[in-house]
Amino acid sequence: MSYQVLARKWRPRTFHELVGQDHVRRALVNALDQGRLHHAYLFTGTRGVGKTTLARILAKCLNCTAKGEGDEAVTSTPCGTCEACRAIDEGRFVDLIEVDAASRTKVEDTRELLDNVQYAPTQGRYKVYLIDEVHMLSTHSFNALLKTLEEPPPHVKFLLATTDPQKLPVTVLSRCLQFTLKNMPPERVVEHLTQVLTAEHVAFDESALWLLGKAADGSMRDAMSLTDQAIAFGQGEVRHGDVAAMLGTLDHRHVLALLEALAEVDAARLLAEVASLAEQGPDFAGVLDDLVGVLHRLAVAQMVPGGVSNAHGDRDALLALAARFTAEDVQLYYQIGLQGRADMGQAPDPRGALEMTLLRMLAFRPQGVPRPAQTPLPLRAEPNQSGAPVGEPARSEAPPSHQLAPSETPPGAPGAGHVGIPESAAAPAEVPKAPPSSPPTAAELPREAAMAPSLDEAPAQAVGHDMARPAEEPPPWEPYPETLPPQTEAPAESDRPSPVERPAEEFAEAPAAMPAPPPAAASEPAPESPRAPLDTTTPTPTTEGAPSGSGLLDHADWLDRFESLGLGGLTRNLAAHCVVEVDDGQTLHLRLDPSQSAMNAEVHHQRIQAALAAQDLSRRLVVEVAELPAGIETPQARAERLAAERHAEAVAALKADPQVRQLEETFGARLQESSVTPETPAS
């Protein structure tokens, strides 16, 4: 006997053997058991998901004689042994008329078919018309079929199957019960192939079945055909290497190697891996597709580690790799990969397009912040025994500023332990010089100062929008100077630059500064501290840049010295939300507003230490995240208060100006207070 392919040999013969499509099976079984049969059924879905198989099983259920000859003997479990069941399985049942609509599209063929509808069945209980690819019929054929399809004789059932239901007239759709068959997921395909190969006594690798399930693209028949091909290719076995070679699939280890290079931020290794790939002549678009797919699995591994499938036998490797990326980096790389895949068709060289996409991932990765050693999994905020959220790194190791987005840090979150730099640490790598007399050039600026503008930057002209031209600001592509004049005004929300106008590096590196929480009422007691409580009265400011008489730095000195420290970017933003808690001459303790805890990182502590050392205040810095006491102003709060006072004075001066008053009286003009920018005080 000749060999029978797996797709035909393992075709289901009953509803209970059907793989998947439970929603269709349940509806048909219940209808058969209750005797509520429709005269026309329409099965839709992609190729190889079981449309014709379902129709043949339904034909057997309608004509099985194991329980009798009458209509009451219709069953949902055909016996498979009676004459009708065996004839249908063997394709010789005269009352099952199968029509290939793709080859019989003419109206004459349809009329010839319908001429025999009026005659009673010869062998079975019902005469079943199975019309495959019914969407190929012509318009005249559909019109000829409509009347019979709406009111057929009681002994006739129509079973229609199509892969393109959109091409069917609505008049046909309205006369049928429509069942849409779903695509087969790879998990279901692998499960079924495992049962088939075990029964066929064929040795196989599970990872090879996952390759076949993915290549089948939702079609069980395609999966069975590819399995036949893999058995022949592997000389009676289904092995991963053979299947990968047969399908031309990229070795999964190369994709993991690319991700290892991304995790190490190693551009040289990244290009070396691409060069190694190029020797195999791969489809570079397919390489990028596989890379994006693994990035998706990494995101799942970070959020729900138990939800990662072991499709390639790499679940443990993915979990270890997911801990080496931050969630933000994975999402950024995924988006860049999708955009690179869309642009690949316009690139002159596919390999160059892949390399540019990978290098773009490193180029747009947030800079100026440390790379975390490990990201605890899963990433969720659940209270543990210590009271800190699960997934948040210990405060003693200074979490990176880009590990949590500012929006994810709840205001008023309790702080953890002290964050300090050991006394044995090496000297800071970056010591800012004294403020230059002239603005520095772009080459003299550190990277962070060139990326993010200062918090206290403000225009310097006290006029309205309609009165005079505002002071020009530097274009977004030019760096911001490290040392800037004191803040004069907190810009209104409407006057802030839109995301389109702001530099891209600002979004990639620096989280937006959060407003400081309003000071608590004076009647509320200040929170207790393990050290001496802060003085709630504002000390008399000393000469700017000069320490207090004791030689120790107090909060008044911190406010006076803040501008002369020459801090910029994220470091300036962090320091601007701190107050001095205690200074013993060896260690300076700062208390940080909890709303800014996401920026708390060791690299900023080193820069603050270096700035203090430049002013002969060598200290070991310890930053504690805790609620700020009432009545104490941070440098940021002080700058905002002074800016608000200057803005109010400028508005009052404009309202009292005779020319402005004349404009208001003559033309009914109104002063837009939000457009007023006060004059910058002389430093």
Side-chain angles (χ1 to χ4, degrees):
M1 187 176 181
S2 60
Y3 175 73
Q4 191 175 20
V5 298
L6 295 178
R8 294 184 61 187
K9 182 178 179 181
W10 289 90
R11 168 173 279 179
R13 290 176 170 80
T14 64
F15 285 122
H16 301 287
E17 295 178 5
L18 193 66
V19 178
Q21 318 304 346
D22 293 336
H23 62 297
V24 179
R25 175 175 56 186
R26 177 180 177 182
L28 293 178
V29 168
N30 291 341
L32 290 167
D33 290 341
Q34 298 172 12
R36 305 178 66 89
L37 298 176
H38 202 268
H39 59 268
Y41 294 87
L42 174 63
F43 300 107
T44 65
T46 188
R47 76 273 179 270
V49 293
K51 301 184 297 295
T52 307
T53 298
L54 266 172
R56 290 179 179 175
I57 294 175
L58 184 56
K60 290 195 331 184
C61 293
L62 293 172
N63 289 285
C64 180
T65 59
K67 296 183 179 180
E69 298 292 338
D71 291 344
E72 66 279 356
V74 173
T75 177
S76 62
T77 55
C79 64
T81 58
C82 68
E83 180 60 27
C85 291
R86 287 189 286 109
I88 292 175
D89 289 336
E90 296 171 5
R92 55 181 178 82
F93 190 67
V94 296
D95 289 326
L96 175 59
I97 300 97
E98 296 193 24
V99 180
D100 180 17
S103 60
R104 302 186 63 180
T105 61
K106 296 181 179 180
V107 65
E108 291 81 4
D109 298 326
T110 305
R111 287 172 180 170
E112 180 183 353
L113 185 70
L114 297 178
D115 286 342
N116 297 321
V117 169
Q118 57 184 329
Y119 300 112
T122 302
Q123 187 178 359
R125 185 181 297 114
Y126 290 97
K127 181 179 288 188
V128 181
Y129 286 88
L130 172 54
I131 306 178
D132 200 6
E133 299 300 333
V134 68
H135 67 275
M136 298 294 291
L137 292 178
S138 64
T139 303
H140 294 294
S141 297
F142 278 123
N143 292 335
L145 184 64
L146 284 179
K147 187 59 179 178
T148 305
L149 191 62
E150 182 179 4
E151 296 179 357
H155 58 268
V156 173
K157 302 294 181 184
F158 284 97
L159 306 180
L160 312 180
T162 179
T163 57
D164 197 355
Q166 289 79 12
K167 293 183 179 179
L168 295 181
V170 293
T171 51
V172 173
L173 295 175
S174 66
R175 287 165 167 82
C176 301
L177 288 185
Q178 182 174 350
F179 295 95
T180 302
L181 279 66
K182 301 177 182 178
N183 288 7
M184 295 291 178
E187 294 82 3
R188 184 62 59 84
V189 173
V190 171
E191 179 184 350
H192 185 60
L193 291 182
T194 301
Q195 297 176 358
V196 171
L197 294 179
T198 302
E200 292 286 333
H201 304 290
V202 175
F204 64 91
D205 294 336
E206 183 181 355
S207 58
L209 300 187
W210 281 99
L211 293 179
L212 294 173
K214 183 178 180 181
D217 195 21
S219 172
M220 184 64 75
R221 183 177 60 216
D222 288 1
M224 300 291 280
S225 300
L226 288 173
T227 304
D228 258 327
Q229 183 180 353
I231 294 174
F233 189 89
Q235 296 181 346
E237 295 182 349
V238 181
R239 299 301 181 188
H240 180 91
D242 294 336
V243 174
M246 180 189 75
L247 298 175
T249 307
L250 177 69
D251 191 346
H252 192 61
R253 290 173 294 182
H254 290 293
V255 179
L256 295 181
L258 291 175
L259 288 171
E260 289 278 354
L262 285 175
E264 295 295 333
V265 197
D266 191 345
R269 181 181 173 187
L270 203 60
L271 295 180
E273 291 293 342
V274 176
S276 176
L277 271 174
E279 296 176 358
Q280 306 177 20
D283 176 16
F284 290 103
V287 173
L288 191 53
D289 288 340
D290 290 345
L291 183 66
V292 171
V294 176
L295 286 172
H296 161 254
R297 297 177 65 200
L298 286 180
V300 174
Q302 288 183 336
M303 298 300 178
V304 188
V308 180
S309 66
N310 198 23
H312 297 277
D314 59 350
R315 184 176 184 275
D316 294 337
L318 277 184
L319 290 176
L321 194 59
R324 301 175 61 184
F325 290 93
T326 63
E328 293 86 348
D329 284 349
V330 172
Q331 296 294 332
L332 177 65
Y333 295 164
Y334 183 86
Q335 191 65 34
I336 292 176
L338 289 181
Q339 187 61 45
R341 183 65 177 88
D343 296 342
M344 188 166 282
Q346 304 176 4
D349 177 23
R351 174 181 173 180
L354 175 63
E355 290 178 344
M356 283 299 296
T357 301
L358 295 174
L359 293 177
R360 193 180 303 137
M361 293 178 181
L362 296 184
F364 282 90
R365 179 186 175 274
Q367 304 293 328
V369 289
R371 184 173 68 251
Q374 287 288 325
T375 300
L377 303 180
L379 296 177
R380 64 173 184 267
E382 291 183 357
N384 53 18
Q385 294 179 356
S386 63
V390 175
E392 183 178 349
R395 291 293 182 188
S396 59
E397 297 182 5
S401 62
H402 69 296
Q403 179 127 350
L404 291 174
S407 61
E408 296 174 351
T409 306
H418 293 278
V419 179
I421 299 176
E423 297 179 2
S424 60
E430 179 182 356
V431 180
K433 300 179 181 179
S437 57
S438 60
T441 63
E444 297 173 347
L445 288 173
R447 176 175 178 82
E448 183 176 337
M451 289 298 181
S454 171
L455 291 175
D456 300 330
E457 180 181 8
Q461 189 71 21
V463 293
H465 276 310
D466 299 331
M467 301 294 296
R469 181 181 178 183
E472 295 185 357
E473 298 182 359
W477 56 84
E478 293 186 4
Y480 286 85
E482 182 75 17
T483 305
L484 295 172
Q487 180 178 354
T488 58
E489 176 191 3
E493 194 68 29
S494 60
D495 296 334
R496 294 179 181 173
S498 64
V500 177
E501 300 169 350
R502 296 169 64 182
E505 293 85 354
E506 180 178 347
F507 289 95
E509 290 188 22
M514 289 188 175
S523 60
E524 296 182 1
E528 297 183 1
S529 172
R531 288 172 286 274
L534 296 172
D535 189 4
T536 56
T537 60
T538 304
T540 303
T542 59
T543 304
E544 184 173 349
S548 58
S550 62
L552 302 180
L553 189 69
D554 57 17
H555 189 61
D557 296 332
W558 172 253
L559 293 175
D560 292 336
R561 287 179 178 270
F562 184 76
E563 295 299 335
S564 63
L565 291 178
L567 301 175
L570 290 177
T571 306
R572 179 186 179 90
N573 196 22
L574 176 74
H577 289 85
C578 292
V579 298
V580 175
E581 193 165 2
V582 67
D583 178 21
D584 57 7
Q586 299 289 333
T587 303
L588 174 62
H589 293 268
L590 297 180
R591 183 179 295 188
L592 175 64
D593 189 344
S595 66
Q596 307 297 319
S597 61
M599 296 185 298
N600 195 10
E602 185 176 351
V603 63
H604 304 312
H605 302 172
Q606 294 176 351
R607 292 171 182 170
I608 297 174
Q609 282 187 161
L612 291 173
Q615 297 193 8
D616 297 329
L617 289 173
S618 298
R619 299 286 192 275
R620 186 174 72 91
L621 189 65
V622 174
V623 178
E624 178 184 1
V625 180
E627 290 290 343
L628 301 182
I632 296 295
E633 280 187 331
T634 62
Q636 174 68 17
R638 181 190 187 189
E640 291 177 354
R641 176 178 57 81
L642 294 178
E645 292 175 356
R646 287 193 293 270
H647 181 266
E649 293 175 359
V651 170
L654 285 174
K655 288 184 176 180
D657 187 270
Q659 296 181 0
V660 175
R661 297 177 63 179
Q662 183 178 1
L663 289 174
E664 291 178 343
E665 295 173 358
T666 305
F667 301 103
R670 291 186 302 171
L671 177 64
Q672 295 183 358
E673 298 183 5
S674 61
S675 66
V676 177
T677 53
E679 208 173 56
T680 305
S683 56

